[in-house]
């Protein structure tokens, strides 16, 4: 690595450490600001809706904030009432709890205690001295009595965290009001600060981030609300007291990734355990939780989210760990929206592309690279999984052009560079042929890939498929051969071992209407031009040159391509079939004129 790149990476690492340290030490200001952004994303659509009804924006903001405060106040009132009722009933369950605990101790405690005693005795025997030692006095346990704190100190210890949370909530609400009152001004200042003259890209990034986060939060509120109601009704059916409280807690704690849902479930399950005489109610509460969570995770969320936030499950887990370490429980709640913003930044800012690569749920490698990797690993099942994913919603011909042929080109490139041995290359070609057969047997199979207007469009057309020189060229020629036969053409394949003179002699004895030359890049275009030059001497012979996956419009490539009035250069199977259909019309016209 050159010194400039090395110093650049060191500066990037140093800048990252400085940013993380700043976020940690300035969390007292940054947490309310982040919460305010979150609130503005939630209330933004409501403010826009009210403002669209010709309500002045300040009044729309005030109405939206009042709606939020009303919902929060009403929910708090219900929760406090339910919690007070539960606290009053807890002494009634003391005897039942003692009975259940004793039963569990009888069931599990004695075996565990016996095992622990056995291990302890074995350890004592192993560490016992071989000779008798003088007995010493037993050490005495000394306890330091802490002075009891006064009433004022106890009240202060209780009020400090409460006042801290209230202060954070008030600051976040004030920040959110300012953001909602002047969103355009804040956006303009942000563009001026970080846009660096790229107004379009920065605007796209802001709109994309706000749209994704708003959509995620609104859908999360809907999903959590529905699941909370279902969980509460299920607990009410089981007979758990204060089911409304537990349903609300379930909906609220589901905002915390991974951890919150288990905390929300354990509390009512434990309550069902201590209030019931038997084991039916706790097991039913567990069943209600499993049913609600399975329906929510595997039915409602995939249907409602679609592509979701655009970040991978692993990224959600890692971001939850990082932000909870940095900002505590609030960081855990903010982890997903912040990660969504980071993914959007990586999408639009080239210097931060690694964020999008690490956290996005889109594949890290394109389909041809993934297929090539599976073929190199000789994993046929995973290779078919890649192709099957591409077949969904596409024709088989399109999959061949976009995935299979580029994969074959990668293998041919590595073979010519010497990084792929011939035996492995032959194995890859054999597996590709198996994949082609699988595609033909799939729902979208190769003969049916030809459109209704193409079926029979090449009837009586005589075509000669001529591989350039390699086995990959022959395999690609076979792909095109199947397509042309599906359209009604009569196709003959030239063996690789056949010399050019033998092919020309065959054309003299058995004329054809068209010759298709198959070449998989990286190929030697000089050899392709030589073949075209020899074939062009055949009077009235149409020539299609298939340089599969090659960018024929790239600078420096056009001058090296074969050219002539009867030569047509294509890069995909679809283009080759389309050109063959056009040439078939000309062939029929010439035949009619000759007859």
């Amino acid at each position: 690595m050159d010194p400039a790149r090395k110093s650049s990476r060191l500066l990037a690492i140093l800048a990252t450490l400085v940013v993380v340290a700043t976020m940690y030490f300035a969390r007292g200001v940054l947490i309310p600001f982040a919460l305010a952004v979150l609130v503005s994303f939630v209330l933004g659509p409501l403010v826009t809706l009210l403002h669209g009804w010709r309500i002045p924006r300040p009044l729309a903001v005030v109405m939206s904030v009042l709606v939020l405060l009303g919902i929060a106040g009403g929910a708090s009132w219900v929760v406090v009432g339910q919690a007070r009722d539960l606290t009053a009933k807890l002494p009634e369950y003391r005897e039942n709890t003692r009975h259940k605990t004793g039963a569990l101790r009888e069931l599990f405690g004695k075996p565990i205690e016996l095992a622990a005693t056995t291990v302890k005795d074995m350890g004592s025997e192993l560490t016992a001295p071989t000779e008798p030692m003088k007995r010493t006095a037993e050490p005495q346990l000394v306890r330091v009595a802490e002075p009891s704190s006064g009433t004022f100190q106890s009240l202060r210890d209780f009020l400090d965290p409460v006042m801290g949370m209230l202060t954070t909530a008030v600051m976040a609400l004030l920040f959110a009001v300012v953001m909602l009152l002047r969103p355009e001004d804040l956006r303009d200042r942000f563009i001026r600060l970080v846009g660096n003259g790229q107004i379009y890209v920065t605007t796209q990034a802001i709109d994309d981030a706000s749209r994704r986060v708003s959509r995620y939060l609104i859908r999360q509120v809907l999903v959590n609300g529905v699941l909370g109601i279902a969980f509460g009704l299920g607990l009410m059916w089981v007979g758990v007291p204060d089911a409304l409280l537990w349903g609300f807690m379930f909906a609220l704690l589901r905002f915390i990734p991974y951890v919150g849902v288990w905390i929300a479930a354990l509390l009512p399950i434990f309550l069902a355990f201590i209030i019931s005489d038997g084991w039916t109610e706790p097991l039913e509460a567990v069943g209600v939780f499993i049913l609600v969570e399975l329906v929510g995770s595997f039915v409602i969320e995939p249907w409602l989210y679609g592509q979701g936030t655009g970040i991978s499950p692993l990224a959600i887990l890692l971001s939850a760990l990082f932000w909870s370490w940095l900002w505590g429980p609030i960081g855990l709640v903010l982890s997903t929206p912040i990660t969504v913003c980071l993914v959007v930044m990586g999408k639009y800012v080239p210097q931060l592309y690694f964020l999008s690569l690490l956290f996005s749920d889109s594949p890290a490698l394109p389909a041809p690279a993934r297929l090539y990797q599976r073929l190199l690993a000789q994993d046929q099942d995973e290779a078919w999984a890649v192709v099957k994913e591409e077949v969904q919603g596409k024709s088989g011909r399109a999959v061949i052009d976009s995935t299979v042929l580029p994969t074959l080109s990668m293998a041919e490139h590595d073979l010519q560079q010497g990084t792929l041995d011939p035996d492995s290359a032959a194995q890859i070609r054999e597996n590709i042929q198996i994949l082609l057969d699988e595609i033909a047997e799939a729902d979208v199979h190769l003969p049916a890939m030809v459109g209704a207007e193409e079926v029979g469009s090449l009837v009586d057309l005589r075509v000669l498929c001529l591989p350039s020189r390699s086995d990959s060229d022959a395999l690609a020629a076979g792909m095109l051969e199947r397509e042309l036969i599906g359209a009604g053409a009569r196709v003959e394949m030239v063996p690789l071992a056949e010399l050019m003179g033998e092919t020309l002699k065959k054309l003299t004895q058995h004329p054809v209407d068209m010759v298709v030359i198959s070449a998989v890049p990286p190929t030697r275009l000089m050899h392709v031009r030589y073949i075209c030059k020899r074939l062009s001497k055949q009077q009235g012979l149409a020539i299609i040159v298939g340089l599969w996956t090659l960018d024929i419009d790239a600078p420096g490539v056009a001058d090296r391509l074969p050219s002539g009035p009867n030569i047509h250069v294509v890069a995909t199977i679809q283009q080759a079939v389309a050109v063959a259909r056009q040439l078939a019309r000309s062939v029929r016209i010439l035949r009619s004129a000759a007859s």
Side-chain angles (χ1 to χ4, degrees):
M1 185 184 299
D2 59 89
R5 291 185 60 187
K6 186 175 181 180
S7 61
S8 176
R9 290 195 175 185
L10 289 176
L11 287 175
I13 294 174
L14 181 61
T16 302
L17 294 176
V18 170
V19 170
V20 172
T22 302
M23 288 191 298
Y24 178 78
F25 290 107
R27 60 186 182 275
V29 176
L30 294 179
I31 288 178
F33 184 78
L35 289 173
V37 174
L38 205 64
V39 172
S40 65
F41 280 143
V42 174
L43 297 182
L46 180 58
V47 172
T48 303
L49 179 64
L50 295 176
H51 188 55
W53 292 347
R54 300 184 181 276
I55 298 177
R57 190 171 191 87
L59 182 58
V61 171
V62 172
M63 293 172 62
S64 301
V65 171
L66 290 177
V67 169
L68 179 63
L69 292 177
I71 294 174
S76 301
W77 181 78
V78 173
V79 169
V80 170
Q82 295 276 298
R84 187 188 304 113
D85 181 62
L86 177 63
T87 305
K89 292 179 180 178
L90 282 178
E92 302 175 9
Y93 309 135
R94 184 177 303 169
E95 185 63 30
N96 198 22
T97 305
R98 186 181 298 111
H99 174 71
K100 286 285 185 64
T101 306
L104 289 177
R105 188 182 298 111
E106 288 290 333
L107 184 62
F108 299 106
K110 288 186 176 180
I112 295 175
E113 183 179 354
L114 180 60
T117 303
T118 303
V119 173
K120 183 179 180 180
D121 293 341
M122 291 176 61
S124 300
E125 293 177 3
L126 292 174
T127 58
T130 56
E131 296 180 2
M133 298 180 61
K134 185 177 180 181
R135 190 175 184 85
T136 59
E138 292 290 335
Q140 298 296 321
L141 180 63
V142 179
R143 295 181 179 178
V144 179
E146 294 287 342
S148 58
S149 57
T151 305
F152 179 77
Q153 183 64 33
S154 301
L155 183 61
R156 181 179 178 182
D157 293 339
F158 172 76
L159 290 179
D160 280 347
V162 175
M163 292 303 298
M165 290 188 292
L166 287 177
T167 303
T168 301
V170 171
M171 291 179 61
L173 194 60
L174 291 177
F175 279 140
V177 170
V178 173
M179 292 177 184
L180 291 170
L181 284 175
R182 305 186 64 185
E184 294 82 5
D185 181 66
L186 291 176
R187 183 176 57 193
D188 294 344
R189 294 180 185 278
F190 181 79
I191 292 174
R192 178 63 183 271
L193 182 64
V194 302
N196 195 23
Q198 299 180 354
I199 298 178
Y200 175 77
V201 174
T202 309
T203 302
Q204 289 291 105
I206 294 174
D207 293 341
D208 193 2
S210 61
R211 183 171 57 252
R212 287 197 195 187
V213 175
S214 297
R215 183 175 61 220
Y216 163 75
L217 291 175
I218 293 173
R219 292 179 179 180
Q220 188 74 3
V221 169
L222 292 176
V223 170
N224 291 359
V226 171
L227 295 182
I229 293 173
F231 187 64
L233 293 176
L235 293 179
M236 188 180 298
W237 171 76
V238 172
V240 178
D242 305 305
L244 187 60
L245 169 65
W246 305 121
F248 176 79
M249 294 299 296
F250 186 84
L252 184 64
L253 290 174
R254 276 192 104 255
F255 283 99
I256 302 177
Y258 300 105
V259 181
V261 64
W262 295 102
I263 299 175
L266 287 176
L267 295 175
I269 291 173
F270 177 73
L271 182 61
F273 168 78
I274 65 175
I275 68 172
S276 60
D277 296 330
W279 296 93
T280 304
E281 289 81 357
L283 293 177
E284 289 178 345
V286 172
V288 168
F289 164 69
I290 294 176
L291 178 62
V292 170
E293 189 59 27
L294 286 178
V295 172
S297 300
F298 295 100
V299 178
I300 297 179
E301 287 182 348
W303 168 71
L304 190 59
Y305 286 167
Q307 294 183 349
T309 58
I311 57 180
S312 65
L314 179 61
I316 294 177
L317 179 59
L318 292 177
S319 65
L321 292 175
F322 174 78
W323 290 106
S324 61
W325 166 78
L326 192 68
W327 285 353
I330 296 181
L332 192 60
V333 176
L334 295 172
S335 59
T336 300
I338 292 177
T339 308
V340 171
C341 296
L342 292 178
V343 170
V344 172
M345 291 175 61
K347 178 181 177 181
Y348 291 98
V349 181
Q351 294 82 357
L352 301 177
Y353 172 72
F354 70 94
L355 294 174
S356 178
L357 183 62
L358 291 175
F359 297 146
S360 175
D361 60 354
S362 59
L365 294 174
R370 285 186 284 132
L371 178 58
Y372 185 42
Q373 189 277 327
R374 273 57 166 184
L375 292 174
L376 285 173
Q378 298 185 5
D379 193 337
Q380 293 184 355
D381 293 335
E382 286 296 324
W384 169 240
V386 174
V387 175
K388 187 176 181 180
E389 181 182 347
E390 293 297 309
V391 166
Q392 302 298 326
K394 291 183 181 179
S395 66
R397 183 190 302 169
V399 173
I400 290 176
D401 284 334
S402 64
T403 305
V404 179
L405 283 176
T407 301
L408 189 61
S409 178
M410 291 179 186
E412 184 68 19
H413 177 271
D414 288 347
L415 180 63
Q416 294 184 17
Q417 294 294 322
T419 57
L420 183 66
D421 60 274
D423 292 338
S424 298
Q427 184 65 44
I428 288 175
R429 288 192 296 269
E430 180 180 346
N431 287 332
I432 288 179
Q433 184 62 58
I434 294 174
L435 291 177
L436 292 174
D437 294 338
E438 291 290 336
I439 294 175
E441 296 176 1
D443 293 336
V444 185
H445 52 83
L446 288 177
M449 288 188 305
V450 184
E453 74 283 358
E454 299 178 13
V455 176
S457 60
L458 302 182
V459 171
D460 295 333
L461 187 70
R462 296 165 298 179
V463 182
L464 185 69
C465 284
L466 177 60
S468 176
R469 61 168 48 187
S470 70
D471 292 319
S472 296
D473 300 335
L475 180 57
M479 300 179 198
L480 178 61
E481 176 189 21
R482 190 178 300 190
E483 287 286 340
L484 296 176
I485 291 176
R490 293 181 294 170
V491 184
E492 180 182 356
M493 182 72 68
V494 176
L496 276 175
E498 185 172 287
L499 299 176
M500 190 64 204
E502 297 174 349
T503 303
L504 293 174
K505 183 178 179 181
K506 183 186 297 183
L507 289 175
T508 303
Q509 297 173 353
H510 305 284
V512 297
D513 302 312
M514 184 187 311
V515 174
V516 181
I517 303 172
S518 173
V520 177
T523 185
R524 295 174 178 84
L525 293 180
M526 182 179 294
H527 181 68
V528 176
R529 290 201 304 269
Y530 165 75
I531 296 176
C532 291
K533 206 174 286 185
R534 296 288 301 273
L535 292 175
S536 297
K537 296 179 181 179
Q538 300 290 323
Q539 187 68 26
L541 181 64
I543 303 173
I544 298 178
V545 181
L547 300 175
W548 314 121
T549 74
L550 182 67
D551 186 4
I552 58 181
D553 296 325
V557 175
D559 298 335
R560 301 164 54 200
L561 296 177
S563 59
N566 59 335
I567 297 176
H568 308 271
V569 181
V570 296
T572 66
I573 299 289
Q574 297 186 79
Q575 293 175 357
V577 173
V579 172
R581 291 178 57 207
Q582 295 175 0
L583 295 176
R585 299 190 187 100
S586 302
V587 169
R588 292 192 180 95
I589 293 175
L590 292 176
R591 286 180 182 177
S592 300
S595 60

